[in-house]
Amino acid sequence: MDPADLDPVLLDPTRLSITSLLVGVKWAEFAWVRDSVGLSASALSKQVSTLEARGYVEVEKGYVGKRPRTWLNLSGAGRAALNSHVTALRRIVEESEGRSP
Amino acid sequence: MWMSNLLAEVAMSDRSDPSAEAARALRDVDRRRSQARASMPIESRWVSVVAGVVVFVLLAAPDVFGEWVRPWINFAMLGLLAVYEIMRRTRRGSSALGRPTLVRKVGLASPGSAYFVRLGLIAVLAVAAVVALVQGYRLFPYAGVVLGALLGGALIVFGPAWHRYLAALTMRGRRGEAGAVDGPR
């Protein structure tokens, strides 16, 4: 197993869920991500800030009519990090299965 | 040093078996990806209402105002389609349409769903053929108004259900396929 590919940011299950959700979409509304992951707005905001600081998630704010909206999307760096992380996780599982009789 | 800490963290998070924790994480990744794909287009009700009204106007206007309006109606229809497509591809437009996400199309269609998509296309072509037949041969007076009311009404009433059905068909072809966690695409 090569732990170098495991991303410390994505070891957190909530952050892994958020990035996994965003990898399938070009963008998503903040409220949709919040409902899908089952977090409060403040909890999601905190996790998104962490991912944004790392360059994994991009945040865009705007208005639709008079209603404020926030959109999230996974950046190229976030996509690459998730791919590496998933590959490393898969390797852990495969090696474990290889060891078992 | 940090690598060993990382391994320890993975191990600690499961308290017994890192591979079990890794497998659980992989399952969660796949579940979230499926969740994102399932967020496909269920649009606001007003979109179906506008589509129904547009179809009614498109078919009924030549009967009511005369043939001279047909090119103008077609032109307006193209304009509306262009506006819809632009809205669908922009964040603010998507939100206005009631779409919270724009799902990536990569790998979305599959041989399994292609059959159902083909059936849908045949159904649309059949409806278009009936419309052309009835309008072209003027089978009865105000045929365009009647057809427009029927098709427009059907779009308004059944539009959202049809939309959900198509989304489900698109999803259907994906079931049983390898997930992101099963290997690179």
Side-chain angles (χ1 to χ4, degrees):
Chain A
M1 156 171 73
D2 186 3
D5 290 334
L6 280 175
D7 192 308
V9 174
L10 299 181
L11 279 176
D12 180 276
T14 308
R15 288 195 284 267
L16 182 63
S17 290
I18 295 167
T19 48
S20 305
L21 206 55
L22 291 177
V23 79
V25 297
K26 285 188 178 175
W27 70 74
E29 284 183 13
F30 182 91
W32 179 81
V33 177
R34 180 198 63 205
D35 295 343
S36 299
V37 181
L39 290 174
S40 66
S42 59
L44 176 61
S45 185
K46 193 179 167 188
Q47 300 290 5
V48 166
S49 296
T50 305
L51 291 166
E52 189 183 15
R54 190 69 183 235
Y56 290 176
V57 165
E58 292 163 346
V59 180
E60 186 182 320
K61 291 176 187 287
Y63 284 85
V64 176
K66 288 182 178 177
R67 293 181 183 173
R69 294 281 164 96
T70 302
W71 293 274
L72 309 175
N73 67 277
L74 203 62
S75 66
R79 195 169 297 278
L82 181 65
N83 281 339
S84 300
H85 190 76
V86 164
T87 305
L89 288 172
R90 205 164 50 233
R91 204 176 302 132
I92 292 171
V93 173
E94 285 167 358
E95 285 180 5
S96 163
E97 286 170 351
R99 277 197 303 271
S100 62
Chain B
M1 182 63 184
W2 70 271
M3 284 190 195
S4 56
N5 289 341
L6 208 56
L7 274 175
E9 199 173 334
V10 172
M12 283 296 288
S13 60
D14 191 46
R15 296 180 190 282
S16 58
D17 186 2
S19 69
E21 176 64 13
R24 188 206 57 76
L26 289 173
R27 278 195 301 275
D28 187 53
V29 169
D30 252 356
R31 191 167 63 88
R32 295 301 179 187
R33 284 181 60 113
S34 300
Q35 201 176 351
R37 286 198 299 266
S39 74
M40 274 189 70
I42 309 299
E43 292 174 337
S44 294
R45 183 79 190 170
W46 71 264
V47 180
S48 295
V49 173
V50 169
V53 170
V54 165
V55 166
F56 174 71
V57 170
L58 183 73
L59 294 175
D63 276 4
V64 177
F65 300 108
E67 282 300 315
W68 66 271
V69 295
R70 198 182 289 277
W72 295 101
I73 294 285
N74 288 342
F75 190 69
M77 178 91 169
L78 278 177
L80 275 175
L81 281 175
V83 168
Y84 173 76
E85 193 55 26
I86 290 168
M87 285 181 79
R88 212 177 60 80
R89 289 173 185 276
T90 58
R91 296 175 190 221
R92 286 163 183 79
S94 266
S95 291
L97 290 172
R99 292 170 174 243
T101 65
L102 180 63
V103 178
R104 287 185 177 276
K105 282 186 179 169
V106 178
L108 205 61
S110 73
S113 62
Y115 171 74
F116 296 102
V117 171
R118 238 175 275 141
L119 273 183
L121 278 176
I122 289 171
V124 169
L125 286 176
V127 170
V130 169
V131 169
L133 193 73
V134 172
Q135 282 212 310
Y137 287 95
R138 298 198 176 280
L139 296 181
F140 49 88
Y142 292 103
V145 175
V146 174
L147 263 182
L150 281 175
L151 289 178
L155 257 180
I156 291 171
V157 175
F158 301 115
W162 177 245
H163 225 147
R164 273 193 294 274
Y165 177 67
L166 283 180
L169 284 184
T170 312
M171 282 294 297
R172 193 167 164 174
R174 299 289 303 169
R175 285 190 199 125
E177 285 183 12
V181 294
D182 299 318
R185 283 204 175 104

